Amino acid sequence: MPKQRITKEMVVNAAFELARQGGMEQVIVKSIAQKIGCSVQPIYSYCNNMDGLRNDVCDKVRNFIQGYIASHIDKNDLFRSTGQAYIQLAKDEPHILKIFILQERKNIASLEDLYQAEANPQVARSISEKLKISLESAKQLHLNMLIYTIGIGTIFSVSTPGISTDEIYFQQEQAYHAFLKAALERKESE
């Protein structure tokens, strides 16, 4: 029987699945080799260091989250459903959310930098049009909700036996109304 050819994609996929099931701390060469069913040698041939492999896993996590959120949003209520999708992600994929939140973000020196790097600009435009507020106010509202949702999603993902999603959605809705009120007050003062 011919030897199985181990590819970098197989190594990254196995590492991603280990991280998904148990967190990034599960991404070790021995575990990856066991998951693929090979010796550790092919793993080392693709991974000069574990940091590079972890970066590849983080890239895969980002792609996974983008697909997850896209499949869980309501295009008619993009803003609210995006926040709810992140909470659902926290429930369904707590390790994925933790990896996403805790990954190092380089060249971020302000919340504006973070917003530019992480947010979908289409959401701010949609908020601006729907609420008839300036694009800048919409971005601020979106940023506030991103910060709040990531924070409450993190709490949700690490709580046992678990906070109900209804309670989390209620808190998220309360925050939305408070942030919206501030955005509308800014609009009136402009």
Side-chain angles (χ1 to χ4, degrees):
M1 179 152 92
K3 277 186 161 182
Q4 177 185 10
R5 175 154 159 55
I6 306 300
T7 65
K8 182 176 181 180
E9 182 180 9
M10 292 168 70
V11 171
V12 173
N13 287 342
F16 172 79
E17 285 304 319
L18 288 166
R20 184 178 182 187
Q21 294 164 1
M24 193 64 92
E25 55 275 1
Q26 300 302 311
V27 178
I28 56 176
V29 173
K30 184 177 177 184
S31 297
I32 296 168
Q34 283 178 328
K35 185 138 186 89
I36 296 174
C38 66
S39 71
V40 297
Q41 186 54 43
I43 311 305
Y44 284 120
S45 69
Y46 288 113
C47 306
N48 293 336
N49 62 52
M50 289 305 286
D51 287 340
L53 178 58
R54 287 187 184 101
N55 286 337
D56 290 342
V57 170
C58 285
D59 289 344
K60 198 160 177 69
V61 163
R62 281 176 117 50
N63 291 334
F64 177 88
I65 289 175
Q66 287 172 353
Y68 185 97
I69 298 301
S71 71
H72 285 79
I73 59 172
D74 175 357
K75 299 216 184 305
N76 295 319
D77 192 3
L78 188 62
F79 183 55
R80 184 174 281 116
S81 67
T82 299
Q84 291 176 346
Y86 272 98
I87 298 304
Q88 191 63 44
L89 174 73
K91 180 179 181 183
D92 294 345
E93 302 283 351
H95 297 295
I96 293 290
L97 182 68
K98 286 179 216 169
I99 292 165
F100 174 70
I101 290 168
L102 297 176
Q103 69 183 315
E104 182 179 1
R105 287 164 170 83
K106 297 182 191 271
N107 301 317
I108 303 293
S110 68
L111 290 175
E112 177 63 24
D113 290 346
L114 180 67
Y115 186 81
Q116 293 300 320
E118 300 285 332
N120 177 347
Q122 177 185 346
V123 176
R125 284 192 294 276
S126 173
I127 294 167
S128 175
E129 291 168 11
K130 187 174 183 177
L131 299 177
K132 310 258 187 288
I133 59 177
S134 71
L135 186 57
E136 282 307 308
S137 291
K139 282 181 179 179
Q140 186 62 54
L141 175 59
H142 189 205
L143 176 63
N144 288 342
M145 284 307 296
L146 282 172
I147 292 167
Y148 186 84
T149 297
I150 289 169
I152 202 164
T154 302
I155 292 167
F156 182 67
S157 71
V158 297
S159 302
T160 56
I163 302 167
S164 79
T165 51
D166 289 341
E167 186 176 356
I168 296 293
Y169 290 154
F170 175 79
Q171 289 301 318
Q172 202 175 29
E173 194 68 22
Q174 294 293 97
Y176 166 71
H177 288 293
F179 293 139
L180 176 59
K181 181 180 177 191
L184 293 175
E185 286 171 359
R186 265 192 307 277
K187 177 185 174 186
E188 288 176 9
S189 68
E190 291 175 350

